[in-house]
Amino acid sequence: MYKKHLLWAAVLAMVLASCNTTKQITYFQDIQPGVEEQIQAGEDIRLAPDDKIGILVSSKNQELALTFNLPTVTYRMGQQGSGITNTNGQVSPYTVDANGDIDFPVLGKLHVAGMTRSELESYIKGQLVGRGLIKDAVVTVDLLNLYVSVLGEVNKPGRYAIDRDRMTLLDVLGMAGDLTIFGQREHVYVLRTEGDKQTSYEVNLCSAQQLQESPAYYVQQGDVVYVRPNPMRTRQSTVNGNNVRSASFWLSVVSLVTSVTSSLVVLLAAK
């Protein structure tokens, strides 16, 4: 009888542990199927110093348009050859300087920091048309070197490009191959640098509401996403790297099991 009760107690402990693990790894636990939820409106990426952007000016008069496009320069085995290939969409990048400016052909210095792509397109088009330089100008601005770094317990840590506006944290984690089984879904950190200040946001992926309300739901250029390891991964690292901690860890485990067993014996004996 004693062995039977002990077996049931062990099974119950395993079931409880399994339920707890499920809660720790399941995304969006508070989501209700079929229920519409309001999410915050995302803002387009705003340009900042050190960003690289491509600007292409098009017109029915291609020769005139080329005046306002940078040439594409290629390098081959120590040789430098240049060719203007803007007609097929290739452009050289502009780098936003420390003051937030770019040096645009004919128009000169343009302050672009803080602008979105569409705002910059409208601004340059307005300058070209307003000055009578190109009457039918079409301006396209692309993001070229914007990126997010993903570190910690993900399957493919690394640097990932931001290729569009309003890219979410879920998009970035998806590109990184999702979290490993050892990643803490409740503790995903986003480090964001703005000017000379850095802000840290903690995101809980287990809650759809908390995720959607977070300022880090939409990523920005230069963000660093870090996924903390869960206690099991931390213990594994400690055990593999430190024999003293390894011994104390296993002694603690044995002590805990002994205490639980002793408590069960006392309870069963009382019955």
Side-chain angles (χ1 to χ4, degrees), residues 103-249:
D103 193 2
F104 196 81
V106 183
L107 298 181
K109 288 282 186 180
L110 300 180
H111 188 73
V112 301
M115 289 187 180
T116 64
R117 289 192 302 159
S118 59
E119 289 172 349
L120 181 55
E121 289 169 352
S122 298
Y123 177 68
I124 294 177
K125 179 178 179 178
Q127 291 291 313
L128 294 175
V129 174
R131 297 187 187 186
L133 299 173
I134 302 183
K135 294 181 179 180
D136 61 343
V138 176
V139 181
T140 304
V141 177
D142 285 320
L143 309 175
L144 298 183
N145 79 322
L146 278 60
Y147 63 85
V148 175
S149 297
V150 186
L151 307 174
E153 286 296 333
V154 293
N155 286 295
K156 296 185 295 183
R159 177 181 288 187
Y160 295 92
I162 297 177
D163 56 4
R164 66 182 185 277
D165 294 304
R166 303 182 189 181
M167 181 175 286
T168 69
L169 178 60
L170 296 177
D171 292 327
V172 174
L173 291 175
M175 291 189 293
D178 198 4
L179 280 66
T180 69
I181 195 65
F182 299 107
Q184 291 195 45
R185 273 70 177 165
E186 311 99 315
H187 303 291
V188 176
Y189 292 95
V190 177
L191 305 180
R192 178 167 297 164
T193 301
E194 296 175 312
D196 58 352
K197 297 181 180 179
Q198 185 179 76
T199 305
S200 175
Y201 300 98
E202 184 179 30
V203 182
N204 181 6
L205 298 180
C206 295
S207 170
Q209 180 179 357
Q210 292 183 33
L211 171 63
Q212 293 165 358
E213 292 176 351
S214 172
Y217 179 63
Y218 293 100
V219 296
Q220 296 181 12
Q221 63 269 49
D223 280 358
V224 177
V225 179
Y226 173 66
V227 180
R228 289 182 58 181
N230 62 17
M232 180 180 294
R233 172 67 85 183
T234 303
R235 286 195 297 268
Q236 287 180 347
S237 176
T238 303
V239 168
N240 292 332
N242 191 322
N243 292 331
V244 176
R245 287 293 298 277
S246 173
S248 63
F249 168 72

Side-chain angles (χ1 to χ4, degrees), residues 28-87:
F28 320 135
Q29 296 174 24
D30 56 351
I31 200 168
Q32 298 294 326
V35 178
E36 293 184 356
E37 297 184 8
Q38 188 70 33
I39 62 173
Q40 60 174 315
E43 291 189 1
D44 291 345
I45 294 290
R46 294 193 175 275
L47 300 176
D50 296 327
D51 285 352
K52 283 186 172 58
I53 54 176
I55 303 176
L56 179 64
V57 178
S58 301
S59 169
K60 292 181 180 179
N61 187 337
Q62 287 297 327
E63 292 185 1
L64 179 60
L66 288 177
T67 306
F68 303 95
N69 291 318
L70 295 179
T72 298
V73 180
T74 58
Y75 296 87
R76 296 179 182 176
M77 300 295 292
Q79 281 188 325
Q80 175 177 317
S82 64
I84 299 177
T85 57
N86 291 315
T87 53

Side-chain angles (χ1 to χ4, degrees), residues 18-30:
S18 175
C19 293
N20 185 52
T21 301
T22 300
K23 284 188 175 183
Q24 292 175 347
I25 64 175
T26 304
Y27 295 107
F28 320 135
Q29 296 174 24
D30 56 351

